[in-house]
């Protein structure tokens, strides 16, 4: 088996351990700060709805009406019994997944870099630590940080298998590969896309004679991972496909949006920044994407032997996951397409950026790559200080500050009926709203019975609710005045006051 560097050479990671350690610390701090500063948003409350069910069996039964595998919810459920149900505590597993992903990215880059592995590991780890989307997903009660970790785990195992599978130090490689495959399949259905892309790379490398010679036993980790994940796919997944028509994410994505998705992997939620800052960060993102493409093209072209196969797998994951997923979602709409689904491409892109930086001479690397990484970190810091695009916490605090005893609150979200409404209100107002009247609405968003006499004011905490819904029209008929306060994307508080004389 040929290779352009001695087997099992991750010495770059060892020599650059202080740089990697700094990236781990920075990545952890960014994710913890994001977890504490940002309000929980609607999808996180969906996760809590499943995770805080009484036990695993109830959780698995409840997932039949949703669109996700159970692994992330089960892990949050068990973690909540240890750490409690505070917002930051519930987000800690995602933070840990993110930190572990940074470490794996450093290992992959160090292993695949034929020269300057220390540089490759340090730059790749920093890019992963400061990726805007990775930081955001690494601070949410969702499954996407775990998805990125699983993809990084498979890529690291694939790199190890391609380069030094015969060494005694890799005796556990098949078992950890099987574990990553099983966990990935049980975390998000887009992991199937990754397996399809990996399979295409392996088949193409084999046909072209570029990869290692495949033996039947080499497929054992994949088969074992599939077997471990099979119970859910034969039961819960099947029930999700046939039992409801709830589609995940979206299915339509334009070429412009697809191109934008690459930039979003690095800089996310730039919309609130001044135009000049957005332009600078967008240019930095484009430059980093170019550096990653440079790392892919030059790395594949100049590598030999089995390292080339691993590099192709990394490049395909980073650069083709988006187009592949968009095409599949167009052909099969229930496959879905969402920016978050691209989480698995971020570790691969970070590796390519590290490999591209390692190919540059020292002076250009210092003059170009260092400022780009500094801008990436600045974007992540700005995002970490934000309250989030859906400031449900701010909306609840606003009502609690403004409302007087005896007034009414109506929390309502535009969402599938099987998810309970008012979760954000109950979570953030816990124990602070006993002197307020909590109202409810019907299945068609009509206002249910009001107390008599009707309250002096009704505060509607709404998320995504169309203005034409029945309950808002009913309240407009009952009250003379309406005021609104916005709290991010689709979140507002509408306060109805001044009951009409005939309704008092």
């Amino acid at each position: 088996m040929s290779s352009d560097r001695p087997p099992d050479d991750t010495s770059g990671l060892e020599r650059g351990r202080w740089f990697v350690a700094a990236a781990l610390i920075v990545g952890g701090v960014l994710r913890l700060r994001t977890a504490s500063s940002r309000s929980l948003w609607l999808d996180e409350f969906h996760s809590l709805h499943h995770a805080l069910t009484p036990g695993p069996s109830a959780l698995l039964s409840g997932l039949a009406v949703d669109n996700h595998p159970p692994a992330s919810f089960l892990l949050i459920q068990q973690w909540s019994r240890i750490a409690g149900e505070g917002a930051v505590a519930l987000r800690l597993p995602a933070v840990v997944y993110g930190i572990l992903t940074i470490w794996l990215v450093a290992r992959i880059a160090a292993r695949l870099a034929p020269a300057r592995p220390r540089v490759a590991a340090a730059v790749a780890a920093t890019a992963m630590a400061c990726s805007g989307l990775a930081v955001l997903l690494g601070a949410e009660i969702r499954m996407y940080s775990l998805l990125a970790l699983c993809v990084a785990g498979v890529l690291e195992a694939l790199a190890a298998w391609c380069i030094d599978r015969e060494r005694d130090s890799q005796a556990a490689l098949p078992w950890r590969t099987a574990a990553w495959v099983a966990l990935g399949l049980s975390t998000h259905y887009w992991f199937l896309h990754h397996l399809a892309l990996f399979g295409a790379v392996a088949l193409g490398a084999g046909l072209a004679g570029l990869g290692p010679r495949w033996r039947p036993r080499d497929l054992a980790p994949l088969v074992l991972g599939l077997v471990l994940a099979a119970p859910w796919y034969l039961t819960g997944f099947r029930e999700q496909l046939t039992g409801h028509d709830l589609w995940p994410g979206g299915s339509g994505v334009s070429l412009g949006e697809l191109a934008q998705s690459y930039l979003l992997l690095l800089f996310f939620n730039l919309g609130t920044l001044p135009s000049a800052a957005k332009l600078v960060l967008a240019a930095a993102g484009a430059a980093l994407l170019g550096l990653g493409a440079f790392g892919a093209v030059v790395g594949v072209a100049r590598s030999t032997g089995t390292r080339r196969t691993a590099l192709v797998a990394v490049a395909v994951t980073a650069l083709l996951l988006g187009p592949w997923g968009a095409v599949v979602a167009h052909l099969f709409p229930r496959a879905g397409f969402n920016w978050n689904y691209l989480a698995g491409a971020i570790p691969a892109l970070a590796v390519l950026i590290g490999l591209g930086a390692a190919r540059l001479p020292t002076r250009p690397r210092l003059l170009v790559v260092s400022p780009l990484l500094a801008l990436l970190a600045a974007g992540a810091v700005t995002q970490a200080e934000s309250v989030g695009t859906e400031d449900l916490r701010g909306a609840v605090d606003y009502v609690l500050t403004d409302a007087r005893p005896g007034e009414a609150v109506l929390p309502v979200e535009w969402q599938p009926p099987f998810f309970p409404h008012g979760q954000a209100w109950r979570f953030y107002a816990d124990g602070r709203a006993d002197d307020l009247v909590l109202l409810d609405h019907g299945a068609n968003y009509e206002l249910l019975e009001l107390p008599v006499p009707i309250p002096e004011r009704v505060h509607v905490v709404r998320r995504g609710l169309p203005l034409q819904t029945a309950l808002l029209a009913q309240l407009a008929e009952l009250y003379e005045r309406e005021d609104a306060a916005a709290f991010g994307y689709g979140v507002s508080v509408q306060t109805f006051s001044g009951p009409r004389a005939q309704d008092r």
Side-chain angles (χ1 to χ4, degrees):
M1 184 183 316
S2 61
S3 177
D4 48 57
R5 188 152 58 89
D8 202 24
D9 187 357
T10 54
S11 57
L13 181 59
E14 294 301 319
R15 293 197 302 269
R17 62 185 181 275
W18 296 115
F19 294 98
V20 174
L24 290 168
I25 293 171
V26 169
V29 170
L30 285 171
R31 286 156 177 77
L32 283 172
R33 179 55 184 164
T34 304
S36 61
S37 65
R38 297 176 74 91
S39 167
L40 299 184
W41 66 296
L42 187 64
D43 282 16
E44 290 185 275
F45 285 110
H46 290 174
S47 294
L48 290 184
H49 167 65
H50 294 304
L52 300 184
T53 50
S57 59
L59 187 155
L60 294 174
S61 299
L63 279 177
V65 295
D66 206 340
N67 285 312
H68 298 293
S72 65
F73 304 116
L74 288 168
L75 290 168
I76 295 170
Q77 182 184 70
Q78 300 308 309
W79 171 251
S80 67
R81 296 179 178 178
I82 300 171
E85 299 177 8
V88 176
L90 289 166
R91 284 168 159 174
L92 279 179
V95 173
V96 173
Y97 305 150
I99 294 172
L100 291 175
T101 303
I102 297 169
W103 177 69
L104 285 175
V105 161
R107 286 186 59 84
I108 299 168
R111 190 183 293 275
L112 294 182
R116 303 190 187 97
R118 179 180 64 182
V119 172
V123 172
T126 303
M128 188 69 210
C130 300
S131 156
L133 184 56
V135 169
L136 182 63
L137 299 180
E140 289 187 344
I141 313 171
R142 298 295 282 162
M143 66 290 297
Y144 304 109
S145 184
L146 182 57
L147 172 63
L149 173 62
C150 292
V151 173
V154 171
L155 287 174
E156 192 275 335
L158 179 63
W161 183 85
C162 285
I163 294 171
D164 55 342
R165 57 176 172 161
E166 303 293 350
R167 294 178 65 88
D168 293 339
S169 61
Q170 300 301 330
L173 181 59
W175 301 106
R176 76 170 188 262
T177 305
W180 287 127
V181 170
L183 184 58
L185 288 170
S186 302
T187 295
H188 199 277
Y189 295 128
W190 261 53
F191 193 81
L192 291 165
H193 291 324
H194 290 282
L195 290 185
L197 292 174
F198 294 153
V201 169
L203 180 62
L207 293 176
L210 300 176
R213 186 175 61 186
W214 291 91
R215 302 162 299 189
R217 68 178 184 178
D218 292 330
L219 296 177
L222 174 62
V223 173
L224 179 57
L226 293 172
V227 169
L228 292 174
W232 169 256
Y233 280 79
L234 293 175
T235 55
F237 178 59
R238 219 173 133 188
E239 193 169 353
Q240 288 176 344
L241 284 180
T242 59
H244 64 77
D245 58 357
L246 177 65
W247 290 12
S251 57
V253 57
S254 67
L255 290 177
E257 291 172 326
L258 188 59
Q260 183 189 21
S261 69
Y262 289 99
L263 180 62
L264 294 178
L265 296 178
L266 298 171
F267 292 97
F268 200 73
N269 288 340
L270 300 182
T272 59
L273 296 176
S275 298
K278 282 194 288 188
L279 185 61
V280 170
L281 293 182
L288 285 169
L289 289 172
L291 182 62
F294 170 74
V297 172
V298 176
V300 171
R302 295 187 179 179
S303 294
T304 59
T306 56
R307 179 170 285 103
R308 178 175 291 176
T309 302
L311 277 167
V312 170
V314 172
V316 165
T317 301
L319 304 177
L320 296 186
L321 177 66
W324 168 277
V327 170
V328 173
H330 178 74
L331 296 175
F332 307 99
R334 287 205 66 175
F337 185 95
N338 187 283
W339 309 131
N340 296 343
Y341 299 173
L342 299 175
I346 307 174
L349 179 58
V351 170
L352 292 182
I353 291 172
L355 296 178
R359 292 282 183 178
L360 295 175
T362 302
R363 187 177 295 275
R365 186 168 65 245
L366 292 175
L367 293 177
V368 176
V369 178
S370 297
L372 291 177
L373 293 177
L375 287 171
L376 187 64
V381 169
T382 301
Q383 179 177 272
E385 294 298 322
S386 167
V387 296
T389 54
E390 294 182 15
D391 188 12
L392 290 164
R393 179 180 58 196
V396 172
D397 288 342
Y398 173 83
V399 172
L400 292 175
T401 301
D402 184 54
R404 295 184 287 271
E407 294 182 348
V409 178
L410 175 57
V412 57
E413 299 90 23
W414 189 257
Q415 61 174 336
F418 58 83
F419 286 120
H421 288 249
Q423 282 186 285
W425 174 262
R426 290 189 294 274
F427 187 88
Y428 284 119
D430 185 27
R432 298 189 290 159
D434 295 338
D435 55 355
L436 301 178
V437 179
L438 186 63
L439 303 180
D440 201 359
H441 62 84
N444 295 316
Y445 291 93
E446 75 279 10
L447 184 65
L448 298 182
E449 186 177 357
L450 277 172
V452 179
I454 67 173
E456 285 296 317
R457 292 195 297 174
V458 175
H459 307 267
V460 180
V461 182
R462 52 185 288 265
R463 190 278 186 191
L465 188 70
L467 292 174
Q468 295 76 25
T469 48
L471 65 87
L472 295 178
Q474 290 173 275
L475 288 170
E477 291 180 0
L478 292 171
Y479 290 88
E480 296 179 351
R481 181 182 174 88
E482 177 183 344
D483 300 288
F487 294 88
Y489 177 74
V491 178
S492 66
V493 174
Q494 286 182 250
T495 301
F496 294 85
S497 60
R500 300 185 189 277
Q502 65 270 27
D503 298 314
R504 288 182 178 270

